[in-house]
């Protein structure tokens, strides 16, 4: 529903009732689940993060009431913070895992937030410096790039890329016809019914996932 | 580096599945008077003594632990319904309709709300039998995998989580073997050793 160019919840949602009854926490839970299950890094939910941070601040300033209510509010706050922290942590792990790939693909770089981009740049620099110092400087000139195996390689084959053909488990939130999938995969997967658990190759459902029509489980 | 030692990012631990289950709504009967709770995750209340109200499971368990309410077991956890479900599971190949998080919800209620469930031993043994029969079906169905998309109706969260890693890798292997026959990998240079790294990017896959 709200993955896209970072504009938050879009206005042309299909189901009005789910739009008004979905809280920020639901959206965060969905984003967390999708991020955890997907092999590559997904679009950063900036609007969600900022609205949650405001609510966090309000909640922690709640004035002293009886201990029971305070502890319940604290529990709710803890739960939300866990989701937020785990979401950010999973993203950082993915960045670290595919650091060079993210740095060289614009598409992946645009999915990061500003702080994540700074982190990725400095992490890449550190890793590059470390590899140079320990190994690459001692190899002959043709072989000492951290991106290519040798000067004869045509592309950057030392860079691990996320495996888009890994299988994920997903559920469609509404009926999806063949038009929602990329045309080149249209003979692999033609439709998906609502609420049916499907094991499918990640790259087939990448497009409907970005449009918010599919949830990873 | 960023925390969690799990090298497989995409796996959910059972605790995380339970965490997700704790957001499901259950009915409780509070025994105290309390104003509305305006949580980040929603608004609940106000609470009046002896008036039933729907709250998320985590909140119900917190109140129960402090002795502030009793939990009403959900409809699907009645002995009649469970017996029916068990019979249905035994008879057919498909899965019966149960809530997605039935394993976690029943486990949490057994642990924390024993006195609120009538005939708990019977209910518990029914739930365990259902789990066994369903998982046995999952295992038998695993033998019928193909490389294309596999669909399953009514499988529960915990069952999905158990087979997630294995079935993901199995399907991926199927897919790769099936595709290698159709699309020869044209770019192998002679002096390269066949490498087994999981993350090595595939080269020049022509779209079919």
């Amino acid at each position: 529903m709200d993955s896209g160019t970072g504009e938050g919840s879009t206005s042309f949602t299909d189901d009005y009732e789910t739009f008004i009854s979905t809280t920020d926490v639901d959206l965060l839970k969905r984003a967390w689940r999708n991020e955890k299950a997907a092999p590559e890094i997904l679009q950063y939910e900036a609007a969600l993060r900022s609205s949650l941070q405001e609510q966090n601040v309000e909640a922690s300033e709640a004035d002293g009431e009886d201990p029971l209510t305070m502890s319940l509010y604290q529990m709710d706050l803890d739960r939300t913070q866990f989701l937020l922290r785990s979401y950010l942590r999973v993203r950082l792990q993915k960045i670290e895992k595919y650091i060079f790939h993210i740095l060289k693909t614009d598409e992946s770089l645009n999915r990061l937030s500003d702080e994540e981009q700074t982190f990725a740049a400095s992490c890449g620099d550190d890793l590059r410096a470390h590899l140079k110092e320990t190994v690459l400087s001692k190899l002959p000139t043709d072989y000492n790039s951290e991106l290519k195996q040798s000067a004869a390689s045509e592309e950057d084959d030392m860079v691990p890329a996320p495996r888009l053909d890994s299988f994920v488990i997903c559920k469609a939130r509404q009926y999806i016809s063949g038009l929602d999938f990329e045309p080149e995969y249209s003979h692999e997967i033609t439709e998906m019914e609502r609420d049916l658990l499907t094991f499918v190759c990640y790259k087939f459902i990448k497009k409907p996932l970005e449009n918010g029509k599919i949830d990873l489980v | 580096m960023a925390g969690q030692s799990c090298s497989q990012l995409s796996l959910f631990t059972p605790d995380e599945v339970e965490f997700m289950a704790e957001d499901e709504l259950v009915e409780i009967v509070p025994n105290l008077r309390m104003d509305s709770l305006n949580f980040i995750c929603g608004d609940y209340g106000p609470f009046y003594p002896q008036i039933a109200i729907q709250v998320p499971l985590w909140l119900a368990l917190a109140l129960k632990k402090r002795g502030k309410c009793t939990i009403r077991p959900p409809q699907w956890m009645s002995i009649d319904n469970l017996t029916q479900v068990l019979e249905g599971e035994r008879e057919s190949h498909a899965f019966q309709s149960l809530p997605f998080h039935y394993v976690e919800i029943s486990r949490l209620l057994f642990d924390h709300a024993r006195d609120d469930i009538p005939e708990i031993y019977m209910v518990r043994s029914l739930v365990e039998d259902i789990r066994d029969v369903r998982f046995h079906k999952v295992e038998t169905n695993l033998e019928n995998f193909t490389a294309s998309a596999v669909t399953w109706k009514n499988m529960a969260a915990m069952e999905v989580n158990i087979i997630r890693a294995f079935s993901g890798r199995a399907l991926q292997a199927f897919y790769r073997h099936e595709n290698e026959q159709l699309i020869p990998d044209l770019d192998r240079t002679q002096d390269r050793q066949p490498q087994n790294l999981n993350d090595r990017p595939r080269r020049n896959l022509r779209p079919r």
Side-chain angles (χ1 to χ4, degrees):
Chain A
M1 187 160 89
D2 44 38
S3 310
T5 48
E7 282 171 333
S9 10
T10 56
S11 50
F12 50 88
T13 45
D14 310 283
D15 200 349
Y16 186 63
E17 282 121 333
T18 42
F19 177 65
I20 50 174
S21 67
T22 326
T23 62
D24 277 340
V25 173
D26 282 336
L27 295 174
L28 177 62
K29 198 158 80 149
R30 198 180 295 155
W32 172 67
R33 230 170 27 194
N34 287 351
E35 191 73 56
K36 225 172 182 312
E40 57 168 5
I41 198 162
L42 302 174
Q43 178 67 37
Y44 181 66
E45 302 279 351
L48 199 52
R49 164 88 188 276
S50 49
S51 88
L52 274 171
Q53 254 172 335
E54 288 167 16
Q55 296 185 27
N56 268 2
V57 167
E58 283 170 18
S60 28
E61 286 169 7
D63 43 349
E65 296 159 25
D66 60 306
L68 172 66
T69 332
M70 284 304 295
S71 75
L72 293 178
Y73 273 107
Q74 188 61 40
M75 278 180 76
D76 172 62
L77 191 59
D78 286 340
R79 285 177 71 90
T80 318
Q81 279 184 338
F82 167 73
L83 276 180
L84 189 57
R85 285 173 184 157
S86 191
Y87 173 68
L88 294 173
R89 219 182 355 227
V90 167
R91 289 179 66 90
L92 282 180
Q93 266 184 293
K94 277 192 195 167
I95 293 177
E96 281 173 7
K97 195 167 173 188
Y98 300 119
I99 181 78
F100 288 133
H101 179 258
I102 288 181
L103 284 176
K104 55 174 206 146
T105 344
D106 281 334
E107 190 200 342
S108 310
L109 207 50
N110 288 336
R111 292 189 191 154
L112 306 185
S113 71
D114 293 331
E115 297 113 334
E116 284 170 350
Q117 285 181 357
T118 331
F119 170 74
S122 72
C123 190
D125 288 338
D126 288 342
L127 195 57
R128 206 170 286 137
H130 167 71
L131 286 174
K132 271 212 164 54
E133 197 181 308
T134 48
V135 176
L136 294 177
S137 53
K138 303 179 175 43
L139 294 176
T141 340
D142 275 347
Y143 295 91
N144 69 352
S145 155
E146 74 273 357
L147 299 176
K148 295 184 165 42
Q149 274 211 16
S150 70
S153 317
E154 297 122 28
E155 41 175 73
D156 297 336
D157 49 357
M158 283 295 282
V159 174
R163 301 235 45 173
L164 295 184
D165 59 354
S166 55
F167 272 70
V168 293
I169 309 176
C170 62
K171 246 192 208 180
R173 293 169 59 206
Q174 54 188 110
Y175 174 73
I176 302 185
S177 70
L179 300 172
D180 290 311
F181 297 103
E182 301 265 359
E184 53 196 78
Y185 303 130
S186 57
H187 67 280
E188 299 265 1
I189 180 165
T190 46
E191 60 169 9
M192 210 186 271
E193 278 177 33
R194 201 191 139 124
D195 274 351
L196 198 64
L197 271 176
T198 320
F199 287 65
V200 73
C201 199
Y202 174 76
K203 57 188 183 189
F204 298 162
I205 55 153
K206 196 167 129 144
K207 187 155 160 239
L209 179 66
E210 281 164 16
N211 296 337
K213 298 198 171 134
I214 286 190
D215 273 343
L216 300 183
V217 168
Chain B
M1 298 291 225
Q4 288 164 334
S5 55
C6 182
S7 56
Q8 277 277 41
L9 290 176
S10 62
L11 292 185
F12 289 90
T13 67
D15 294 315
E16 284 167 350
V17 181
E18 195 179 67
F19 179 82
M20 289 197 284
E22 282 175 348
D23 282 329
E24 299 284 319
L25 293 175
V26 291
E27 202 169 50
I28 63 163
V29 179
N31 57 18
L32 80 166
R33 167 92 175 73
M34 201 159 62
D35 289 328
S36 301
L37 294 168
N38 301 321
F39 290 145
I40 301 177
C41 62
D43 299 321
Y44 305 103
F47 298 86
Y48 299 108
Q50 313 310 327
I51 308 266
I53 185 171
Q54 299 249 338
V55 293
L57 186 56
W58 63 269
L59 182 56
L61 293 173
L63 288 173
K64 175 76 187 172
K65 271 194 209 152
R66 293 162 171 82
K68 306 287 183 192
C69 74
T70 57
I71 303 185
R72 272 207 199 137
Q75 297 279 23
W76 59 267
M77 252 172 88
S78 68
I79 294 198
D80 294 329
N81 190 43
L82 288 177
T83 330
Q84 218 175 349
V85 166
L86 181 58
E87 248 155 74
E89 293 283 352
R90 285 191 172 136
E91 276 161 22
S92 88
H93 280 302
F95 290 119
Q96 298 299 302
S97 162
L98 273 175
F100 190 52
H101 292 285
Y102 81 96
V103 177
E104 300 87 88
I105 297 180
S106 55
R107 162 72 65 85
L108 283 169
L109 289 180
F110 290 149
D111 287 343
H112 299 288
R114 317 189 67 119
D115 42 348
D116 292 334
I117 305 177
E119 296 180 40
I120 185 171
Y121 294 111
M122 189 67 185
V123 176
R124 181 182 263 184
S125 82
L126 279 170
V127 170
E128 282 180 10
D129 286 343
I130 291 177
R131 277 174 70 175
D132 285 336
V133 172
R134 284 172 71 110
F135 200 66
H136 182 72
K137 274 192 214 171
V138 166
E139 285 170 342
T140 356
N141 280 346
L142 282 179
E143 296 167 14
N144 299 338
F145 267 10
T146 60
S148 52
V150 179
T151 60
W152 255 331
K153 208 165 160 56
N154 281 333
M155 190 152 59
M158 209 46 118
E159 289 151 3
V160 164
N161 200 39
I162 291 176
I163 63 166
R164 183 197 308 268
F166 168 74
S167 59
R169 284 203 303 270
L171 284 169
Q172 199 178 340
F174 272 124
Y175 182 71
R176 223 183 316 158
H177 291 314
E178 206 174 87
N179 280 357
E180 265 175 13
Q181 291 162 7
L182 299 172
I183 303 172
D185 201 356
L186 298 176
D187 265 23
R188 284 197 197 285
T189 55
Q190 287 108 332
D191 51 343
R192 177 163 313 144
Q193 313 266 332
Q195 284 170 7
N196 224 357
L197 298 175
N198 268 343
D199 296 335
R200 189 169 151 248
R202 302 210 59 187
R203 317 269 242 89
N204 281 12
L205 280 184
R206 298 228 168 82
R208 289 199 256 163

